Amino acid sequence: MKNNRKLSRDIFQKPARFYSLIALIVACIAMANYYTTGAATQYEAEIRRTSHGIPHITAKNMGSLGFGEGYAFAQDHLCSMADQVVKVRGERARFFGPGERDTHLNNDISFKALGIYEQAGKLYQSMPAETREMIDGYTAGYNKYLKETGVNSVAGWCKGKEWVFEITPLDVLAYHQAVTVTSTGFSDMIATAAPPKSEVSRVNGFEMRDYEGESNGWAIGSDRSEGGRGMLVANPHYPWVGSSRFWEKHLTIPGKLNVYGVGLLGSPGVSIGFNEAVAWTHTVSAGKRYTLYSLDLVPGNPTKYLYDGKEREMTSKVVSVDVRQADGTLKRVERRIFFSHYGPILNMAGLEWNSKRAITFRDANANNMLFQEQRIAMNKARSLEEFKQAHSRYNSLPWVNTIATSADGRAWYADTSSTPNLKKEAIAGLLKRKESDPATKTAWNRGIILLDGSNSINEWVDDPETRAGVIPYSRMPQIERRDFVFNANDSFWLANPHQLLTGFSPLQGLEGTSRSLRSRMNVVLLDDIRPDGPSGRDGKFSLDELTAAIFSNRSMSAELLRGQVVKRCQAAGTVMVDNQKVDLNEACRILNQWNGLYELSSVGPVLWREFISNYDPADLQRAGSLFKTDFSPENPIGTPFELADPKDGKDQALINLGKAVLVLKAANISLDTPLGKVQYSDKNGGRIPIHGGEGSYEGVANFVNYAPNTTTLEPQTMPQRVKGSRFLTSQGYPVNRGSSFVMALEFTPKGPRAKAVLTYSQSGDPSSKLFYDQTELFSAKNWRSILFTTAEINSDPNLKVIKISGKR
């Protein structure tokens, strides 16, 4: 009894031990169920690999299907999953040290503080048997491949590493939760938040991470389809490196499931794809997945805040992390992490925790436990009605729009992302507060919602139709049509230019606002029914016309402004830039002869990119230094337009063109350099030329650019940025992000027919041809036919079949 009292006292005096114990209990319960309820489970699956390494996996049940998928996935991308398991376990600092600026340490502290593993345990316990069987099987398949191959023989950058080990279902689900929730993106802010030592209170353009979700999704209905049935273009713009890549697969349980498509690495099931009845894709939603709250603190006590005039104490937990030192030893580091009743306290540069104010936030996906079930229901849908019912029943898509089409020729758009459900009074107060409160205004201008957390009016509202705090499906923006619907990451408002969606919460997206140049180009490509337009003489898309449209590489900014820039340039001839006279004649000639396309052979895109990217991003969607005529809600595709007039004797367009000339000459790049000479993908030491353009500035639907890999720890080289340029590096324009899994599909009387290319290729093994073969296809605009029927698969000349079996 004495020892029990001591243990109880230690637990409550040392929160780290208490919370570690809770996590351990949850994990033990889940794993006890895993090992006792299915110890004799036998898995059997057939994996048929066709050209370009695409696995077609067939099994008799979900457990065996997961087993086959986990095994095939590990063959291609074991290193990425192994890396992410270390990350979600909160053990990066254990294996890699604290990291630059304590990045690994902060990751581990925040993941443990947020209880990602506790969430995974609860998710595992609450899952329907079929879903749990799939996760169990996936884990077993991954582990079977690792056992057979051995850590010292796996392909890729993790070969022989001590942090590669067998995983558990909780590892898979913890990784799933880390991708689903928003809070894991705030690791540094959560891990470093501490009570203030300073009395300074200020607002100075605070820092927040920017997530650039850029994708295109098109659904074509019977009225615009040559065959009179549904068509789809999936064009997610995702990283070509790291864990946020897609992996292609075909999953079949005869008579129960037959679905083809992609999912993020380590994610069982199909996220974007098709079956015999429906095809769908996703784009990142413009809506809000969280709200920030500003807390008024109790004078003299920075860990207490006022709530409706009454004092509330923040809660806290001490989190312990083992950190590898330079000599290889481990050092235990402890941090106390603070929480309001909304969620964790944040350390935000510019909105610091001080004696008067603290910033906290609430995540709309923190209690999202049904995403896996919704995905399975979508995969199994036998009609568009059943597909919609999956959304209605689960309402658990975390942060994406859905664009779908059906075999009977309907096109459907919906933004059913998890979105905070605020009272009308709270929304009205927010709109008023952003005009008077500097912090709220700064946040709003950054696309962030900052509420007064000391007033209960701003609490999220629970609706009996759905899980706590989020907007129910019945109030989600959606539209079904027979011509087309689309999304290119702007809000729901313009899913179809002939039927605008209005009357929704501003947290779901803004209405009547300017669209991006890429969104405008999407509509230009879809809505043009002229005989010489993208859909041909009949104004109805064929599959070939659809593939040509998405890779047309037309630039919206060039189509709007190039001619006017050329005229002004020709009239001036020269321009003064920083007291230097710049000759514009060659630039004028090049732009005049350019057709506005971003093809490999195009001469002009390099110069245009350096010109247009000299403008401020905000100028691309309003009247100002770039456009003369402002945006109009009555003409959202045509405005803003016209090149802005010179002001105060200065022509900003010519100045920016002069700057472009100087930057390119300083980089020893000729003004008439073809795009394919400088825009490239570095695959396995090779340099593959890449077509396409940037979305925000250039307005090219086929979006490509470069961004550092921030997900995995695989080695990467980062070319040095050229001074004075937004995109140019010492090596040119490297591409490791953008068009990823690109698919065009049509439903026919014989079933779905589709073409695709996975731009960065199927395998993560740099020594394999499958690491770069589809990158070469993309470079040449060569699409491959998707093999969906048994006859198509069996006729593939490169078919390889293996049958695998195993137990838990």
Side-chain angles (χ1 to χ4, degrees), residues 399-438:
W399 28 259
V400 291
N401 302 286
T402 301
I403 301 95
T405 192
S406 60
D408 60 359
R410 291 178 287 163
W412 183 64
Y413 162 84
D415 184 354
T416 61
S417 303
S418 301
T419 308
N421 188 18
L422 291 180
K423 302 179 182 73
K424 291 183 179 179
E425 297 86 348
I427 293 174
L430 167 67
L431 298 178
K432 182 178 180 181
R433 184 178 165 96
K434 75 179 180 67
E435 301 301 326
S436 59
D437 178 62

Short mmCIF file of all heavy atoms in Angstrom, two decimals, residues 399-438:
data_model
loop_
_atom_site.label_atom_id
_atom_site.label_comp_id
_atom_site.label_asym_id
_atom_site.label_seq_id
_atom_site.Cartn_x
_atom_site.Cartn_y
_atom_site.Cartn_z
N TRP A 399 -9.07 18.38 -45.18
CA TRP A 399 -8.71 19.70 -45.69
C TRP A 399 -8.77 19.79 -47.21
O TRP A 399 -8.02 20.55 -47.83
CB TRP A 399 -7.31 20.12 -45.22
CG TRP A 399 -6.35 19.00 -44.95
CD1 TRP A 399 -6.01 18.50 -43.74
CD2 TRP A 399 -5.58 18.24 -45.92
NE1 TRP A 399 -5.09 17.48 -43.88
CE2 TRP A 399 -4.82 17.31 -45.19
CE3 TRP A 399 -5.48 18.26 -47.31
CZ2 TRP A 399 -3.96 16.39 -45.82
CZ3 TRP A 399 -4.63 17.35 -47.93
CH2 TRP A 399 -3.89 16.44 -47.18
N VAL A 400 -9.67 19.02 -47.83
CA VAL A 400 -9.71 19.01 -49.30
C VAL A 400 -11.12 19.19 -49.85
O VAL A 400 -12.11 18.79 -49.24
CB VAL A 400 -9.13 17.70 -49.86
CG1 VAL A 400 -7.63 17.64 -49.63
CG2 VAL A 400 -9.83 16.47 -49.29
N ASN A 401 -11.17 19.81 -51.05
CA ASN A 401 -12.37 19.80 -51.87
C ASN A 401 -12.46 18.45 -52.58
O ASN A 401 -11.46 17.75 -52.76
CB ASN A 401 -12.29 20.87 -52.97
CG ASN A 401 -12.11 22.27 -52.42
OD1 ASN A 401 -13.03 22.86 -51.88
ND2 ASN A 401 -10.90 22.81 -52.57
N THR A 402 -13.65 18.12 -53.03
CA THR A 402 -13.85 16.91 -53.83
C THR A 402 -14.46 17.30 -55.16
O THR A 402 -15.43 18.05 -55.21
CB THR A 402 -14.77 15.91 -53.11
OG1 THR A 402 -14.19 15.55 -51.85
CG2 THR A 402 -14.97 14.66 -53.95
N ILE A 403 -13.89 16.78 -56.23
CA ILE A 403 -14.41 16.97 -57.59
C ILE A 403 -14.63 15.58 -58.15
O ILE A 403 -13.68 14.79 -58.24
CB ILE A 403 -13.41 17.78 -58.46
CG1 ILE A 403 -13.14 19.15 -57.82
CG2 ILE A 403 -13.94 17.95 -59.86
CD1 ILE A 403 -11.90 19.18 -56.93
N ALA A 404 -15.85 15.26 -58.51
CA ALA A 404 -16.18 13.88 -58.89
C ALA A 404 -17.07 13.84 -60.12
O ALA A 404 -17.79 14.80 -60.42
CB ALA A 404 -16.86 13.15 -57.73
N THR A 405 -17.03 12.71 -60.80
CA THR A 405 -17.91 12.48 -61.94
C THR A 405 -18.40 11.04 -61.89
O THR A 405 -17.83 10.20 -61.19
CB THR A 405 -17.18 12.76 -63.26
OG1 THR A 405 -18.13 12.80 -64.33
CG2 THR A 405 -16.13 11.70 -63.56
N SER A 406 -19.45 10.76 -62.64
CA SER A 406 -20.07 9.45 -62.59
C SER A 406 -20.22 8.85 -63.98
O SER A 406 -20.19 9.56 -64.99
CB SER A 406 -21.44 9.54 -61.92
OG SER A 406 -22.30 10.40 -62.65
N ALA A 407 -20.42 7.53 -64.02
CA ALA A 407 -20.58 6.84 -65.29
C ALA A 407 -21.82 7.33 -66.04
O ALA A 407 -21.87 7.25 -67.27
CB ALA A 407 -20.66 5.33 -65.05
N ASP A 408 -22.82 7.85 -65.31
CA ASP A 408 -24.03 8.34 -65.97
C ASP A 408 -23.94 9.82 -66.32
O ASP A 408 -24.95 10.44 -66.69
CB ASP A 408 -25.27 8.06 -65.12
CG ASP A 408 -25.21 8.71 -63.74
OD1 ASP A 408 -24.20 9.38 -63.43
OD2 ASP A 408 -26.18 8.55 -62.97
N GLY A 409 -22.77 10.43 -66.22
CA GLY A 409 -22.56 11.75 -66.79
C GLY A 409 -22.84 12.94 -65.91
O GLY A 409 -23.14 14.02 -66.41
N ARG A 410 -22.71 12.79 -64.61
CA ARG A 410 -22.90 13.92 -63.71
C ARG A 410 -21.57 14.40 -63.15
O ARG A 410 -20.65 13.61 -62.96
CB ARG A 410 -23.84 13.53 -62.57
CG ARG A 410 -25.29 13.32 -63.02
CD ARG A 410 -26.17 12.89 -61.86
NE ARG A 410 -25.90 11.52 -61.47
CZ ARG A 410 -26.27 10.98 -60.31
NH1 ARG A 410 -26.91 11.74 -59.41
NH2 ARG A 410 -26.03 9.73 -60.03
N ALA A 411 -21.46 15.69 -62.92
CA ALA A 411 -20.25 16.30 -62.37
C ALA A 411 -20.62 16.95 -61.04
O ALA A 411 -21.58 17.72 -60.96
CB ALA A 411 -19.69 17.34 -63.33
N TRP A 412 -19.83 16.65 -60.00
CA TRP A 412 -20.16 17.11 -58.64
C TRP A 412 -18.94 17.72 -57.99
O TRP A 412 -17.83 17.18 -58.05
CB TRP A 412 -20.64 15.92 -57.80
CG TRP A 412 -21.07 16.26 -56.41
CD1 TRP A 412 -22.13 17.04 -56.03
CD2 TRP A 412 -20.48 15.78 -55.18
NE1 TRP A 412 -22.23 17.09 -54.65
CE2 TRP A 412 -21.24 16.32 -54.11
CE3 TRP A 412 -19.40 14.95 -54.89
CZ2 TRP A 412 -20.94 16.05 -52.77
CZ3 TRP A 412 -19.10 14.68 -53.56
CH2 TRP A 412 -19.86 15.22 -52.51
N TYR A 413 -19.16 18.90 -57.38
CA TYR A 413 -18.14 19.56 -56.56
C TYR A 413 -18.68 19.74 -55.15
O TYR A 413 -19.86 20.09 -54.96
CB TYR A 413 -17.76 20.94 -57.12
CG TYR A 413 -17.07 21.80 -56.09
CD1 TYR A 413 -15.70 21.69 -55.89
CD2 TYR A 413 -17.78 22.69 -55.28
CE1 TYR A 413 -15.05 22.45 -54.92
CE2 TYR A 413 -17.15 23.45 -54.31
CZ TYR A 413 -15.79 23.32 -54.13
OH TYR A 413 -15.17 24.07 -53.16
N ALA A 414 -17.82 19.57 -54.16
CA ALA A 414 -18.19 19.87 -52.78
C ALA A 414 -16.95 20.19 -51.97
O ALA A 414 -15.89 19.59 -52.19
CB ALA A 414 -18.94 18.71 -52.14
N ASP A 415 -17.08 21.14 -51.06
CA ASP A 415 -16.04 21.36 -50.06
C ASP A 415 -16.60 20.88 -48.73
O ASP A 415 -17.33 21.60 -48.04
CB ASP A 415 -15.64 22.83 -49.97
CG ASP A 415 -14.47 23.04 -48.99
OD1 ASP A 415 -14.08 22.07 -48.32
OD2 ASP A 415 -13.95 24.17 -48.91
N THR A 416 -16.29 19.63 -48.39
CA THR A 416 -16.77 19.06 -47.13
C THR A 416 -15.63 18.94 -46.12
O THR A 416 -15.66 18.09 -45.24
CB THR A 416 -17.41 17.67 -47.37
OG1 THR A 416 -16.42 16.78 -47.91
CG2 THR A 416 -18.56 17.77 -48.35
N SER A 417 -14.65 19.82 -46.25
CA SER A 417 -13.53 19.80 -45.32
C SER A 417 -13.99 20.14 -43.90
O SER A 417 -14.98 20.85 -43.70
CB SER A 417 -12.49 20.84 -45.75
OG SER A 417 -12.05 20.62 -47.05
N SER A 418 -13.22 19.64 -42.94
CA SER A 418 -13.50 19.95 -41.53
C SER A 418 -13.30 21.44 -41.29
O SER A 418 -12.19 21.96 -41.44
CB SER A 418 -12.56 19.15 -40.64
OG SER A 418 -12.72 17.76 -40.86
N THR A 419 -14.39 22.13 -40.91
CA THR A 419 -14.37 23.58 -40.79
C THR A 419 -15.01 24.02 -39.47
O THR A 419 -16.08 23.54 -39.12
CB THR A 419 -15.14 24.23 -41.96
OG1 THR A 419 -14.64 23.71 -43.19
CG2 THR A 419 -14.99 25.74 -41.94
N PRO A 420 -14.38 24.93 -38.73
CA PRO A 420 -14.97 25.41 -37.47
C PRO A 420 -16.37 25.98 -37.67
O PRO A 420 -16.61 26.74 -38.61
CB PRO A 420 -13.99 26.49 -37.03
CG PRO A 420 -12.69 26.10 -37.65
CD PRO A 420 -13.05 25.51 -38.98
N ASN A 421 -17.25 25.63 -36.76
CA ASN A 421 -18.65 26.05 -36.83
C ASN A 421 -18.87 27.20 -35.82
O ASN A 421 -19.01 26.97 -34.63
CB ASN A 421 -19.56 24.87 -36.50
CG ASN A 421 -21.02 25.18 -36.74
OD1 ASN A 421 -21.36 26.13 -37.45
ND2 ASN A 421 -21.91 24.37 -36.18
N LEU A 422 -18.87 28.43 -36.31
CA LEU A 422 -19.03 29.60 -35.44
C LEU A 422 -20.46 30.12 -35.48
O LEU A 422 -21.16 30.01 -36.49
CB LEU A 422 -18.09 30.72 -35.89
CG LEU A 422 -16.59 30.52 -35.69
CD1 LEU A 422 -15.83 31.74 -36.20
CD2 LEU A 422 -16.25 30.25 -34.23
N LYS A 423 -20.86 30.72 -34.36
CA LYS A 423 -22.15 31.41 -34.32
C LYS A 423 -22.14 32.60 -35.28
O LYS A 423 -21.09 33.18 -35.57
CB LYS A 423 -22.44 31.93 -32.91
CG LYS A 423 -22.45 30.89 -31.80
CD LYS A 423 -22.73 31.57 -30.47
CE LYS A 423 -22.70 30.59 -29.31
NZ LYS A 423 -21.32 30.15 -28.99
N LYS A 424 -23.32 33.00 -35.75
CA LYS A 424 -23.42 34.18 -36.61
C LYS A 424 -22.90 35.42 -35.90
O LYS A 424 -22.26 36.27 -36.50
CB LYS A 424 -24.87 34.38 -37.04
CG LYS A 424 -25.39 33.32 -38.01
CD LYS A 424 -26.82 33.63 -38.44
CE LYS A 424 -27.32 32.58 -39.43
NZ LYS A 424 -28.72 32.85 -39.85
N GLU A 425 -23.16 35.49 -34.58
CA GLU A 425 -22.70 36.64 -33.82
C GLU A 425 -21.17 36.68 -33.75
O GLU A 425 -20.55 37.75 -33.77
CB GLU A 425 -23.26 36.59 -32.39
CG GLU A 425 -24.78 36.67 -32.32
CD GLU A 425 -25.48 35.34 -32.47
OE1 GLU A 425 -24.80 34.36 -32.86
OE2 GLU A 425 -26.69 35.27 -32.22
N ALA A 426 -20.56 35.50 -33.67
CA ALA A 426 -19.10 35.44 -33.63
C ALA A 426 -18.51 35.88 -34.96
O ALA A 426 -17.50 36.60 -35.00
CB ALA A 426 -18.64 34.02 -33.29
N ILE A 427 -19.12 35.47 -36.06
CA ILE A 427 -18.64 35.87 -37.38
C ILE A 427 -18.78 37.38 -37.55
O ILE A 427 -17.86 38.05 -38.04
CB ILE A 427 -19.40 35.11 -38.48
CG1 ILE A 427 -19.06 33.62 -38.41
CG2 ILE A 427 -19.09 35.68 -39.85
CD1 ILE A 427 -19.86 32.76 -39.35
N ALA A 428 -19.93 37.91 -37.13
CA ALA A 428 -20.13 39.36 -37.23
C ALA A 428 -19.11 40.11 -36.39
O ALA A 428 -18.56 41.14 -36.81
CB ALA A 428 -21.55 39.72 -36.80
N GLY A 429 -18.83 39.59 -35.19
CA GLY A 429 -17.84 40.22 -34.33
C GLY A 429 -16.44 40.16 -34.93
O GLY A 429 -15.66 41.11 -34.81
N LEU A 430 -16.11 39.05 -35.58
CA LEU A 430 -14.82 38.91 -36.23
C LEU A 430 -14.66 39.94 -37.34
O LEU A 430 -13.62 40.61 -37.43
CB LEU A 430 -14.69 37.49 -36.81
CG LEU A 430 -13.55 37.26 -37.79
CD1 LEU A 430 -12.20 37.38 -37.10
CD2 LEU A 430 -13.69 35.88 -38.45
N LEU A 431 -15.69 40.08 -38.17
CA LEU A 431 -15.60 41.02 -39.29
C LEU A 431 -15.47 42.46 -38.80
O LEU A 431 -14.80 43.29 -39.43
CB LEU A 431 -16.83 40.86 -40.18
CG LEU A 431 -16.99 39.47 -40.84
CD1 LEU A 431 -18.27 39.42 -41.67
CD2 LEU A 431 -15.78 39.14 -41.70
N LYS A 432 -16.10 42.76 -37.67
CA LYS A 432 -15.98 44.09 -37.09
C LYS A 432 -14.62 44.28 -36.44
O LYS A 432 -13.97 45.33 -36.59
CB LYS A 432 -17.10 44.31 -36.07
CG LYS A 432 -17.10 45.69 -35.44
CD LYS A 432 -18.28 45.84 -34.47
CE LYS A 432 -18.28 47.23 -33.84
NZ LYS A 432 -19.42 47.39 -32.88
N ARG A 433 -14.17 43.26 -35.72
CA ARG A 433 -12.91 43.34 -34.96
C ARG A 433 -11.70 43.49 -35.89
O ARG A 433 -10.73 44.16 -35.55
CB ARG A 433 -12.79 42.09 -34.10
CG ARG A 433 -11.58 42.03 -33.16
CD ARG A 433 -11.67 40.74 -32.34
NE ARG A 433 -10.43 40.41 -31.68
CZ ARG A 433 -10.12 40.69 -30.43
NH1 ARG A 433 -10.99 41.37 -29.69
NH2 ARG A 433 -8.98 40.32 -29.90
N LYS A 434 -11.77 42.89 -37.09
CA LYS A 434 -10.62 42.97 -38.00
C LYS A 434 -10.41 44.39 -38.54
O LYS A 434 -9.36 44.69 -39.09
CB LYS A 434 -10.78 41.99 -39.16
CG LYS A 434 -11.79 42.38 -40.23
CD LYS A 434 -11.85 41.35 -41.34
CE LYS A 434 -12.85 41.71 -42.42
NZ LYS A 434 -12.46 42.91 -43.19
N GLU A 435 -11.41 45.24 -38.37
CA GLU A 435 -11.26 46.62 -38.81
C GLU A 435 -10.65 47.51 -37.74
O GLU A 435 -10.16 48.60 -38.04
CB GLU A 435 -12.63 47.18 -39.22
CG GLU A 435 -13.31 46.41 -40.35
CD GLU A 435 -12.48 46.39 -41.62
OE1 GLU A 435 -11.78 47.40 -41.89
OE2 GLU A 435 -12.50 45.38 -42.33
N SER A 436 -10.68 47.06 -36.47
CA SER A 436 -10.22 47.92 -35.38
C SER A 436 -9.04 47.35 -34.59
O SER A 436 -8.25 48.11 -34.02
CB SER A 436 -11.38 48.18 -34.41
OG SER A 436 -11.88 46.96 -33.88
N ASP A 437 -8.92 46.02 -34.54
CA ASP A 437 -7.87 45.40 -33.75
C ASP A 437 -6.68 45.05 -34.65
O ASP A 437 -6.83 44.28 -35.61
CB ASP A 437 -8.39 44.14 -33.07
CG ASP A 437 -7.30 43.43 -32.29
OD1 ASP A 437 -6.78 44.03 -31.34
OD2 ASP A 437 -6.97 42.28 -32.65
N PRO A 438 -5.48 45.59 -34.38
CA PRO A 438 -4.32 45.36 -35.26
C PRO A 438 -3.98 43.88 -35.43
O PRO A 438 -3.64 43.44 -36.52
CB PRO A 438 -3.20 46.13 -34.57
CG PRO A 438 -3.89 47.17 -33.77
CD PRO A 438 -5.16 46.55 -33.31
#
